[in-house]
Every structure is written in C-alpha cells, then in structure tokens.
Amino acid sequence: MLLLHGFTLSHHVWHAVVDNLSTDYDVLAMTMPGHWGGPRLRLRDLGVRGIADGIERELDRVGWSTCHIAGNSLGGQVGFELERRGRAKSLAAINPGGGWKRFSHTEFRLGFGFTAQFPLAAAARVLGDRAATREMFQRPIIRNCSRDMAAVDPDDAANVVRAASHCPVYLPIQLAFLRDGPLTGLHLVTAPTSLMLSEFDTFTTRAECMQRLIDELPDHVEEVTLPGVGHIPMLENPDVVADALRAHLTRATRRQPRQAS
C-alpha cells in the first residue's frame, strides 16, 4: 500500500499508521516530489501531474506496477491522478484536495492561506528547531490540520513545522495549482474507492470542497466518516485512520481478483 501525505508535509505524518498496517501489508509511505526529503521537482513539472510522474518513477523502481493507494489532502488529489493512469488497485482518498470549483472563493482562500503562512515557514527555516519545537510556530499550522491540538504528539507537531519550512516548492507551486484547477473526470473512476471525510475538517469543508466529489463520483464509491478528527487525521488519531484503511482494503480486495504486487 502506498501512502501519500498532504501539501508541505512529509512521509513522517504516516509513521504510526505504517506501524499499524505493516504487520499485515507491504507499506510504502513516500515523501512526494518537491517536499522535504523527497525527489526534486523541476519548475516545469510543478503541479499534480508532475508530482504523479515522480511517484510513478518510484513505483517503477520498487517494482509495483499497481498498488493500493491512500492519500490525504494533496496526496488524495494525486491519488486520483494515479488512479486515472491505472496505477491504483484501490484508492482511499482522505479529505482530498481538488474538490472546490474552478476560480471559486474556496480555491483562492486556500491558496492565499498557504501564501500568508509562508513568512512563518521562512522564519522557522532560519531558526531551525528553536522554532519547530515552539508552540507559537506550531499553532498556526496545526490548527488548520487538527480538531484538538493537544492530541498531536509534540514530536509530530515539530516535524510538521520542519517539513513546511523546508518545502522547496512552497510558493511556486501555488500558481501551478491555480493553473491546473480542481479535480476533473471524477465520473470515470473505476478502481474500488473510499472517500474518507473527517468529522471536523474545517480546512476542506464538505459544503465547499467535498460535496462536488460526492455528487460526481460513481455510485460504487463508498463514503466513510472519520470521527473526532480534523483535516490531517493521522496526527490526532492514527488508529482511526488505520482501522478505516483496513476496512477499505477488505472491501477493495473482495471486489477484484487477486493480483501480484
């Protein structure tokens, strides 16, 4: 199973989910191209398709022609692109990006929100762990991700700040996202798919972002609620996410013949 993180983050957000799932599955939590510790993303490749190209190269390197994919936020948006390319045995999209309407208030709100936080991320990069471990730097970022900041492990919160402050495409990719627009072709999704929505996601809300996905995705897509958590649920309650992914994998494998990984 391939696990894909959200924008400005890194594979570290999945560590507790990996610990849970790896007892029964081969799990790869990779850092997406253009993010802290991930493969370089050239300026001409900025955007969801360029990120997906880099992920495909990594899948080819490890010998996975297809795999089960779980993606959160931007990772969910990239997961839909990989499904379109035939790389997904199944897809679990966790609060995926791209559900907003083209040139909508929500599209600009999200872009401006990340842009407004850039000075904080730049300062954190200069100050290093003096910033990453301080609540005044963590709070503006974590409060967008979580319902309950107190439920986020301090080391995980520090890694979120480290990843955001070292994301090399933080600003330039904003224009690429605006150029590419939201998800399209949702009615063409054929892989077994679960749309997993956090109960308390205030970042990509149901009304502004998720309802269009619900309306346009095929009837076989199953909607799943992740109770008690916010936009990046792995930070607050990784067991809720792992349990939902296990249930998704059980449903997905019942719908298709067994295939070699």
Side-chain angles (χ1 to χ4, degrees):
M1 186 170 205
L2 174 67
L3 305 178
L4 302 176
H5 57 81
F7 178 55
T8 77
L9 301 178
S10 186
H11 71 275
H12 75 271
V13 297
W14 292 107
H15 71 89
V17 175
V18 171
D19 289 344
N20 186 311
L21 294 179
S22 61
T23 58
D24 299 296
Y25 300 98
D26 293 327
V27 184
L28 172 61
M30 70 172 293
T31 297
M32 295 196 297
H35 293 73
W36 180 43
R40 179 173 173 266
L41 188 64
R42 299 171 298 185
L43 288 177
R44 67 187 183 193
D45 294 328
L46 289 177
V48 169
R49 288 187 293 273
I51 293 173
D53 290 342
I55 293 171
E56 284 202 279
R57 287 191 289 271
E58 180 64 15
L59 292 178
D60 292 341
R61 187 186 70 80
V62 300
W64 289 8
S65 59
T66 61
C67 59
H68 299 283
I69 298 174
N72 172 228
S73 197
L74 175 60
Q77 192 171 353
V78 174
F80 277 109
E81 173 64 18
L82 292 168
E83 192 279 339
R84 186 186 68 80
R85 300 181 184 194
R87 302 303 295 253
K89 289 182 179 179
S90 73
L91 174 62
I94 305 171
N95 307 315
W100 47 82
K101 294 181 180 179
R102 182 75 159 159
F103 300 132
S104 64
H105 169 267
T106 302
E107 185 175 36
F108 287 106
R109 172 180 65 82
L110 294 173
F112 286 143
F114 278 112
T115 302
Q117 283 190 351
F118 180 73
L120 184 74
R125 179 162 186 166
V126 172
L127 295 173
D129 273 7
R130 288 176 293 173
T133 57
R134 298 291 179 86
E135 185 178 343
M136 67 172 291
F137 283 87
Q138 295 174 359
R139 179 171 292 276
I141 300 175
I142 301 298
R143 70 185 177 192
N144 284 332
C145 306
S146 305
R147 180 200 182 199
D148 180 11
M149 286 189 59
V152 180
D153 184 273
D155 288 340
D156 290 339
N159 277 328
V160 167
V161 176
R162 292 184 186 110
S165 64
H166 289 82
C167 180
V169 299
Y170 192 119
L171 279 184
I173 206 169
Q174 298 300 326
L175 292 176
F177 289 156
L178 186 62
R179 175 202 67 204
D180 294 344
L183 286 166
T184 59
L186 293 166
H187 64 289
L188 300 174
V189 169
T190 58
T193 298
S194 296
L195 182 64
M196 299 185 179
L197 306 182
S198 292
E199 182 181 9
F200 295 103
D201 185 357
T202 58
F203 189 68
T204 53
T205 64
R206 185 184 186 95
E208 294 181 323
C209 299
M210 297 303 156
Q211 192 60 52
R212 186 177 73 86
L213 302 185
I214 294 167
D215 292 342
E216 296 184 16
L217 283 165
D219 291 341
H220 70 78
V221 174
E222 180 151 352
E223 182 182 344
V224 177
T225 298
L226 302 177
V229 290
H231 184 63
I232 305 179
M234 305 84 72
L235 291 176
E236 294 176 273
N237 195 334
D239 288 341
V240 163
V241 178
D243 289 346
L245 290 177
R246 285 179 178 276
H248 161 80
L249 289 168
T250 298
R251 291 191 301 269
T253 53
R254 285 174 180 167
R255 284 195 55 202
Q256 58 187 10
R258 292 185 178 273
Q259 302 177 27
S261 298

